Amino acid sequence: MVSKNQIKLITSLHQKKYRLTHGLFIAEGIKVIEELLRSDFSLNHIYQIEPLFESVSNDFKTTISSDELRKISALHTPNNCLAVFEIPAQRPILEHGLIVALDDVRDPGNLGTILRICDWFGIEQLVCSNETVDVYNPKVVQATMGSVSRVKVQYTDLSEWLSQTKLPVYGTFMDGKNIYQEVLPKEAIVVFGNEGNGISEVIQKHIANRIAIPKFGKLQQTESLNVAASTAIVLSEFHRGL
């Protein structure tokens, strides 16, 4: 059984300000929770409607009803379990390898998918502007399918950081150089912009290398690619020669 105070706490974690206040976030579903349990995230508690996660002490598990799970879940159709984890402390950004940076990406599904793409291509760090959607938003955590446990996500003043980096900075633009004709480095920062507005003018000032994914359609009428789709294509090209 889950108490009224526990329900109040867990449902408050659906909102960013309370996640920051309590230093906690929620994850739902067996796969996502198992991935987080295998990572360095610290478990606070698991709420389940049937016996699960045998490796976890019963002190950290509470069996609840389906109705109680619906009260605390952030999903329209809840799974059979929900876990609360501690938000880890922010770590310094290590400037090596290939780093993906996001400028004001707002859609939780896009951020979750980008995290999965980064995980697929072995990107260890994802740097987000402070305006980018919170990685611990329940919709983002769900969309990552566990990749949030393997890609380190940092939030920072993106303009200030880019102004100080020694790594080459690339950005995706409609008028950039054809990415398929460029020789791309092993170490770099690649910036992707907002879903509707692209990379902001403030951030553009720090981007020396403007690249583009060319259109091949006969009509050439498609305005732009989804930011997650662009991330997948660009990272694939950066890894082509590795």
Side-chain angles (χ1 to χ4, degrees):
M1 183 175 179
V2 59
S3 70
K4 289 183 179 179
N5 284 338
Q6 287 172 315
I7 291 174
K8 183 178 179 180
L9 170 62
I10 296 167
T11 55
S12 76
L13 301 179
H14 298 184
Q15 299 180 54
K16 180 179 178 179
K17 64 179 180 179
Y18 293 112
R19 291 194 293 271
L20 295 176
T21 297
H22 298 291
L24 300 170
F25 73 97
I26 63 173
E28 301 192 56
I30 294 175
K31 175 176 174 53
V32 176
I33 293 173
E34 283 182 339
E35 295 275 14
L36 291 170
L37 288 173
R38 286 195 290 266
S39 73
D40 55 2
F41 281 91
S42 296
L43 174 67
N44 178 276
H45 206 81
I46 294 175
Y47 300 88
Q48 55 192 22
I49 63 175
E50 59 185 292
L52 297 167
F53 311 108
E54 293 181 0
S55 62
V56 177
S57 168
N58 288 331
D59 294 337
F60 290 90
K61 296 186 291 187
T62 297
T63 300
I64 62 176
S65 69
S66 297
D67 286 340
E68 288 175 319
L69 182 59
R70 278 193 287 271
K71 289 179 181 179
I72 61 177
S73 175
L75 302 174
H76 291 298
T77 305
N79 286 285
N80 53 357
C81 51
L82 178 151
V84 178
F85 287 90
E86 296 179 11
I87 295 176
Q90 180 95 341
R91 297 181 180 182
I93 300 169
L94 302 178
E95 296 194 5
H96 64 78
L98 195 59
I99 301 173
V100 171
L102 302 182
D103 177 24
D104 194 21
V105 170
R106 295 297 182 96
D107 183 80
N110 279 337
L111 179 54
T113 302
I114 289 170
L115 266 166
R116 291 180 69 184
I117 293 166
C118 287
D119 189 15
W120 181 269
F121 284 102
I123 304 299
E124 297 178 357
Q125 295 181 98
L126 176 63
V127 179
C128 300
S129 68
N130 291 321
E131 295 76 27
T132 294
V133 62
D134 180 22
V135 68
Y136 299 112
N137 178 308
K139 292 181 180 179
V140 176
V141 174
Q142 193 71 20
T144 71
M145 295 301 291
S147 291
V148 68
S149 68
R150 291 180 291 272
V151 180
K152 303 303 180 187
V153 181
Q154 292 105 332
Y155 286 79
T156 190
D157 182 322
L158 198 57
S159 178
E160 181 178 347
W161 175 59
L162 291 175
S163 70
Q164 299 174 2
T165 185
K166 295 180 180 179
L167 291 175
V169 182
Y170 285 73
T172 50
F173 298 89
M174 297 298 292
D175 62 349
K177 295 180 179 178
N178 187 335
I179 190 171
Y180 302 123
Q181 297 175 355
E182 292 297 295
V183 177
L184 302 171
K186 294 181 179 180
E187 294 196 321
I189 297 166
V190 189
V191 182
F192 299 90
N194 175 269
E195 291 87 348
N197 302 314
I199 298 173
S200 64
E201 291 185 7
V202 172
I203 300 302
Q204 287 185 34
K205 296 175 183 179
H206 307 297
I207 298 174
N209 305 282
R210 298 168 67 100
I211 53 176
I213 301 167
K215 298 179 185 179
F216 291 96
K218 291 182 179 180
L219 297 179
Q220 301 285 301
Q221 292 180 352
T222 303
E223 291 186 3
S224 63
L225 280 174
N226 169 274
V227 64
S230 297
T231 303
I233 294 168
V234 170
L235 291 186
S236 178
E237 281 304 303
F238 266 91
H239 281 77
R240 182 182 291 276
L242 299 182

